[in-house]
Amino acid sequence: MLKKLNAAMDYIEAHLEEDLSLEQLAGEFFVSKYYIAHLFKDNMGLSIHQFIRKKRLAACRDAIGGREKISQVYLRYGFKDYSSFYRAFKKEYGIAPREFQDTVAGVIKRE
């Protein structure tokens, strides 16, 4: 069971820029949607959707910190519009994406 969970987490990490629906993941691992959903909830304490969103937000954070354009980053990682990305980013990290990028840029300049 944990082997399947680790494989699913690795797959998600490697495919963050692609569609990662519950149906697609269940098909990829030859299990039911119910099974994969419960596998994540029971072992991670998060729904698979929450896990994917957190991973995508972390990828966005890293890309924005690397000075990539925010407008390209949120689209690449599956956010449909800036307002939904902004709300998710601010909720996860407590700071707006632009503020985060400006803060990181300020730290780099001071070093």
Side-chain angles (χ1 to χ4, degrees):
M1 177 165 45
L2 290 179
K3 198 175 200 180
K4 187 90 60 182
L5 177 65
N6 288 332
M9 290 188 317
D10 290 344
Y11 181 86
I12 289 167
E13 189 79 37
H15 295 87
L16 288 174
E17 296 180 28
E18 300 171 19
D19 176 40
L20 290 170
S21 67
L22 187 55
E23 293 81 13
Q24 191 268 333
L25 289 168
E28 184 69 33
F29 292 97
F30 306 104
V31 296
S32 72
K33 295 185 299 184
Y34 174 83
Y35 176 82
I36 201 159
H38 281 277
L39 187 64
F40 270 82
K41 191 69 169 172
D42 294 346
N43 291 285
M44 303 296 294
L46 300 168
S47 71
I48 196 162
H49 175 73
Q50 290 169 318
F51 179 81
I52 292 168
R53 188 178 65 238
K54 283 183 172 292
K55 288 294 186 178
R56 285 182 167 158
L57 284 168
C60 287
R61 182 199 60 215
D62 294 346
I64 290 168
R67 303 299 293 161
E68 289 187 48
K69 290 183 179 182
I70 294 170
S71 60
Q72 293 173 346
V73 169
Y74 78 83
L75 291 171
R76 181 184 334 141
Y77 290 107
F79 291 91
K80 303 296 182 215
D81 56 62
Y82 182 74
S83 64
S84 62
F85 168 67
Y86 178 93
R87 284 191 308 274
F89 193 95
K90 182 125 183 179
K91 183 178 179 183
E92 184 73 18
Y93 299 112
I95 189 171
R98 176 72 56 213
E99 290 176 79
F100 174 79
Q101 191 173 55
D102 292 344
T103 301
V104 170
V107 169
I108 292 170
K109 284 180 185 176
R110 281 184 253 147
E111 289 180 348

